[in-house]
Amino acid sequence: MIQRIKTLAAVAAIAVSSLLIPSAPAMAAPNGISGGDFSLPSIALNMGSGDSAKPAELVNVLKIVLLLTVLTLAPAILVMMTSFTRIVIVLSFLRQSLGTQQMPPNQVIVGLSLFLSMFIMAPTWTKINNEAVTPYMEERIDQKTAFANAEAPIREFMFGQTREKDLELFLSLSKMPKPQTREDVPTYVLIPSFIISELNTAFQMGFMLYLPFLVIDMVVSSILMAMGMMMLPPMTISLPFKLLLFVLVDGWALVVGSLVKSFG
């Protein structure tokens, strides 16, 4: 019996291979070349030696490597050096305070945060494009000047949202002399100061969002205990009331409007 099964399996494999793989005469050779003379083209990769490489070619290779490195850091730049961090944290706090578990889903929260960040950062991106990207593409400025022109609007935005307390903290941790102007503050000091400030502001806004919904939970819980319905979860009763309150006050417009105005 086992021998018959092996024989049937072998016959089936041969039949399937005959259907999927065309026979040799049916394959037409390209450019009129006969099947026997057909061969795959050879591929050669020549990296060149270090002695024969020109300095200009080496500089171009280093520029490409630097560009690829910047592209790998693009997600971190988008998340940590823009308004994205504050927005996504506040929206996450809002979902938790409502108690709706996974509604709205993570994809919706992240997508809304991205588009709100694009809206808030639009003046900054426009300034970077006009002062750095376009002149560099038109070869009116060199690469170093373009980088400095692109860095200035980002630093201006981060300075506007960074608390002096957080900036002083990282200045003291870096053990550098106290700067006299904003231009003297290094970017590697400004970035973590900005991130800490954003986290602090986002948690403050999240706390304010929690308060009205916390009051509803406490009221519903007290009523249920007074009625002797201690086995009934208060969240089951309070969730509809929280959703009703949020809809009646046009909560999404209030939250989004407050987020955008907080960057003013």
Side-chain angles (χ1 to χ4, degrees), residues 155-253:
R155 285 172 55 89
E156 181 181 356
F157 171 79
M158 289 192 293
F159 269 118
Q161 308 302 324
T162 303
R163 301 185 306 169
E164 294 185 2
K165 182 179 178 181
D166 296 326
L167 188 59
E168 291 176 357
L169 170 64
F170 283 94
L171 285 173
S172 61
L173 292 176
S174 63
K175 298 181 179 179
M176 61 177 301
K178 185 176 181 181
Q180 301 298 324
T181 61
R182 288 185 172 183
E183 287 73 15
D184 298 333
V185 178
T187 303
Y188 69 86
V189 174
L190 176 60
I191 292 177
S193 305
F194 168 76
I195 296 173
I196 296 300
S197 298
E198 286 293 284
L199 291 175
N200 183 73
T201 304
F203 274 69
Q204 290 179 358
M205 298 182 69
F207 173 75
M208 298 302 296
L209 284 173
Y210 254 104
L211 287 180
F213 302 114
L214 181 62
V215 171
I216 295 178
D217 288 334
M218 294 177 63
V219 170
V220 171
S221 180
S222 300
I223 293 175
L224 291 178
M225 291 184 64
M227 296 175 62
M229 304 175 65
M230 292 179 291
M231 300 300 296
L232 181 63
M235 184 63 65
T236 305
I237 306 300
S238 63
L239 179 59
F241 290 99
K242 290 192 289 187
L243 292 177
L244 179 62
L245 173 65
F246 190 72
V247 172
L248 289 178
V249 300
D250 197 7
W252 286 111

Side-chain angles (χ1 to χ4, degrees), residues 59 62-63 66-67 132 136 141-150:
V59 171
L62 293 177
K63 287 182 179 180
L66 180 61
L67 177 61
Y136 179 72
I141 58 176
D142 57 4
Q143 186 176 5
K144 184 177 180 181
T145 305
F147 180 79
N149 293 347

